[in-house]
Amino acid sequence: MNKYYPFELHCHTFHSDGEMSPKTLVNASKKRGYTGIAVTDHNTVSAVDETVALGKECGLKVIRGIEWTTFFGHITALGNNTAVDWREIDMQNIDAIIEKASKAGAVLTVAHPKRHGSPMCKGCYMELPITKYQYISGFEVWSQKTPNREGYNLRAIELYDSLLCKGNRLAAVYGYDWHREKADYSYAYTFIGDKDEPERAIKSGDTFVSAGLGLDVKVDGQSLPFGSELEAGKHVFEITVVNFFEDFCSRYGVIPKGVALKGSSCAERVAALGEKLTVNCSEGYLRIEIFGDMEGASNLTLALASPYYVIDRR
Amino acid sequence: MIVLHEHRRLTESESCRHIYIPFEAPCGGNALTVKFSFQPATLEDRQQSLEIIRRGMEIYEPGIRRNDAELEEFLPLKNMLTLSIDSPDGFIGAAHRHSVNQLHKISAQKSSRGFVPCAVTKGRWIITVSPFHFVTPYVDFDLEVSIE
């Protein structure tokens, strides 16, 4: 079984419009059980050094980040993100900007692409006409407090699927967009397949978003990291969920009911958890969703994994 | 010593554009102080606000009708101007927040939230005011920079 680690990839401090000091953020993150976080203040990295140092003291992985908060869309840039000045970004040059940033080592994620935008949330709706998605690694399919119930996230997932259909490779990530310690709560996480180099895992697509459930996926009897390539042809999928956090399912009333396989590689399939599914995969992508009940609501997406990419070499 | 004092009225056509305001620091110093304020903070007219939100929603969630109570969750509509600072050596950070009265101090030892510590050196500095979509017909800002 591949091991996955819970992260929060979109956090703000009082260095921008958040209310938390770096210390409060680190302590609150430990309390919530995160293995790591990304500090992504709006257009500044002034909180990063302090947060990284505080994280080291208590065993919390802190990813250096920034949220480029432009008039026409937001992008988080993790890792080496100094090659771009947020004020350079505009509707005309966005492809050149993401190419430059990515080549300099930044791991880029489209943030909350379908959230309500200006003037309610400044620049929150993605209008930047990105076409070179090969320079984008992650895509916030989920955002905010109750991500699997929000219409804007359903629209984000539609956009995600349309981008995957075009052959783009994008990791599914959740970004809480965490600003306040207590008023903001969330039951969702981005699970990442590498706790030491999470940026690398995001780049390779080894992630899933989840309402606290862990995932165990076997393809032809083997654990296969998300984002991996599969040969076209028949494959057997076996998908089970695990209760990642003790008492989490009872606290939030999470009841997983089944699994859905989606994507351009095969017709949509629905199965019971643990059932062996034989799927004839053609070239394209294939991704896994867990559905079920939560906090009294039924038929919600409880987990959504980054795709496998099916290659036909025949 | 005051090295810059700027007062401007920005109209809707100037929103979503960066306004670069360079100034010369004639000498180095222990600290650079930036006082920045703008007004109005919010759109006070409730009906007008709801109409703006309704128009926005038609773009962001087409086909979904929301009643006034749902639209009110987005009130009050606020103006937002981000202030960035460049030292002679480049970008040192930004204050992206709704506060209408801001005071920022830059020095080699410690800077205000949003800015990295930076020695106050002689040369060309730049303040950038970046107004996001206005919710009022105009926004006035006042900017004063001093070196001590």
Side-chain angles (χ1 to χ4, degrees):
Chain A
M1 179 178 170
N2 288 329
K3 206 159 165 37
Y4 287 88
Y5 303 89
F7 275 72
E8 174 46 61
L9 295 175
H10 193 151
C11 305
H12 295 282
T13 73
F14 61 27
H15 282 255
S16 59
D17 61 349
E19 290 178 5
M20 292 181 278
S21 67
K23 190 168 186 168
T24 304
L25 173 62
V26 165
N27 290 343
S29 300
K30 286 297 284 184
K31 215 190 272 179
R32 288 184 179 199
Y34 298 133
T35 299
I37 58 169
V39 194
T40 54
D41 270 315
H42 299 288
N43 301 329
T44 183
V45 294
S46 61
V48 168
D49 285 347
E50 184 183 353
T51 315
V52 169
L54 289 164
K56 269 188 189 150
E57 283 173 16
C58 65
L60 181 79
K61 173 77 179 175
V62 176
I63 306 170
R64 294 172 175 274
I66 191 169
E67 184 177 15
W68 294 329
T69 303
T70 80
F71 305 127
F72 307 109
H74 298 188
I75 293 171
T76 62
L78 308 184
N80 184 10
N81 53 32
T82 54
V84 165
D85 177 330
W86 77 278
R87 296 164 296 179
E88 288 176 63
I89 304 169
D90 63 33
M91 298 288 270
Q92 284 72 44
N93 67 4
I94 185 61
D95 279 340
I97 288 281
I98 58 177
E99 181 175 352
K100 179 166 80 166
S102 172
K103 284 181 174 169
V107 175
L108 306 178
T109 289
V110 173
H112 44 67
K114 293 291 180 182
R115 277 254 297 280
H116 309 126
S118 299
M120 290 79 85
C121 181
K122 308 296 185 192
C124 288
Y125 185 83
M126 177 52 76
E127 296 177 71
L128 296 167
I130 298 168
T131 64
K132 292 188 173 176
Y133 271 94
Q134 65 266 38
Y135 299 115
I136 298 282
S137 300
F139 194 90
E140 280 187 3
V141 292
W142 279 5
S143 170
Q144 297 270 280
K145 279 185 194 180
T146 50
N148 51 355
R149 296 174 215 196
E150 302 294 351
Y152 50 75
N153 287 331
L154 294 177
R155 292 189 287 279
I157 294 167
E158 272 175 30
L159 176 57
Y160 180 60
D161 277 321
S162 74
L163 292 167
L164 295 173
C165 268
K166 289 177 186 161
N168 298 296
R169 296 190 174 195
L170 295 163
V173 302
Y174 165 60
Y176 180 13
D177 208 349
W178 193 11
H179 283 76
R180 288 161 290 273
E181 181 192 6
K182 286 181 184 147
D184 293 353
Y185 87 100
S186 175
Y187 48 71
Y189 300 81
T190 303
F191 283 88
I192 300 180
D194 189 330
K195 68 177 163 55
D196 300 314
E197 295 182 68
E199 301 102 310
R200 184 207 59 73
I202 295 166
K203 223 166 173 170
S204 68
D206 194 13
T207 65
F208 62 92
V209 302
S210 160
L213 296 172
L215 277 185
D216 183 20
V217 178
K218 290 204 168 50
V219 183
D220 303 326
Q222 304 286 319
S223 292
L224 189 67
F226 298 114
S228 298
E229 292 185 352
L230 284 171
E231 296 290 335
K234 279 190 181 165
H235 294 284
V236 179
F237 291 83
E238 195 177 350
I239 300 145
T240 52
V241 296
V242 290
N243 195 356
F244 191 86
F245 298 102
E246 204 182 330
D247 88 347
F248 193 91
C249 282
S250 56
R251 196 173 357 139
Y252 292 107
V254 178
I255 307 168
K257 292 274 179 76
V259 57
L261 289 180
K262 299 183 174 186
S264 60
S265 174
C266 62
E268 184 167 336
R269 299 281 297 273
V270 174
L273 289 162
E275 184 183 331
K276 285 188 178 170
L277 264 176
T278 302
V279 181
N280 197 3
C281 302
S282 58
E283 181 144 314
Y285 76 96
L286 183 151
R287 63 174 182 80
I288 291 163
E289 280 186 22
I290 305 298
F291 61 87
D293 302 344
M294 182 166 188
E295 292 185 322
S298 56
N299 207 22
L300 295 175
T301 300
L302 302 178
L304 186 160
S306 298
Y308 294 115
Y309 300 100
V310 180
I311 309 294
D312 192 343
R313 299 182 212 275
R314 291 169 295 188
Chain B
M1 173 183 30
I2 293 174
V3 291
L4 175 73
H5 190 189
E6 187 94 5
H7 178 87
R8 283 202 203 177
R9 170 162 291 191
L10 303 174
T11 57
E12 179 58 34
S13 65
E14 290 164 288
S15 76
C16 301
R17 290 159 190 245
H18 301 293
I19 298 158
Y20 294 93
I21 307 168
F23 65 93
E24 281 298 318
C27 57
N30 291 326
L32 183 93
T33 302
V34 179
K35 289 183 191 167
F36 178 62
S37 60
F38 64 89
Q39 63 92 20
T42 59
L43 176 61
E44 298 298 329
D45 186 315
R46 180 181 169 280
Q47 276 314 317
Q48 205 183 340
S49 297
L50 292 178
E51 192 45 45
I52 289 171
I53 296 166
R54 190 171 285 114
R55 281 206 302 272
M57 288 304 188
E58 283 168 9
I59 298 166
Y60 305 131
E61 44 183 41
I64 297 172
R65 286 193 69 80
R66 287 187 180 237
N67 59 36
D68 282 3
E70 289 172 313
L71 299 181
E72 276 174 7
E73 286 177 24
F74 296 97
L75 293 178
L77 290 180
K78 296 176 183 172
N79 285 318
M80 168 82 148
L81 288 79
T82 299
L83 183 140
S84 305
I85 302 177
D86 290 73
S87 78
D89 294 324
F91 181 68
I92 61 165
H96 179 91
R97 59 197 68 145
H98 285 104
S99 170
V100 292
N101 287 301
Q102 301 179 18
L103 178 67
H104 310 293
K105 278 210 167 195
I106 307 299
S107 76
Q109 291 73 39
K110 194 180 178 202
S111 290
S112 299
R113 296 167 186 174
F115 303 94
V116 294
C118 174
V120 179
T121 53
K122 178 183 171 185
R124 188 173 187 260
W125 290 66
I126 304 169
I127 303 286
T128 308
V129 176
S130 306
F132 285 71
H133 298 76
F134 290 160
V135 298
T136 51
Y138 61 85
V139 174
D140 289 324
F141 77 78
D142 196 78
L143 175 67
E144 184 187 286
V145 181
S146 57
I147 293 175
E148 59 191 65

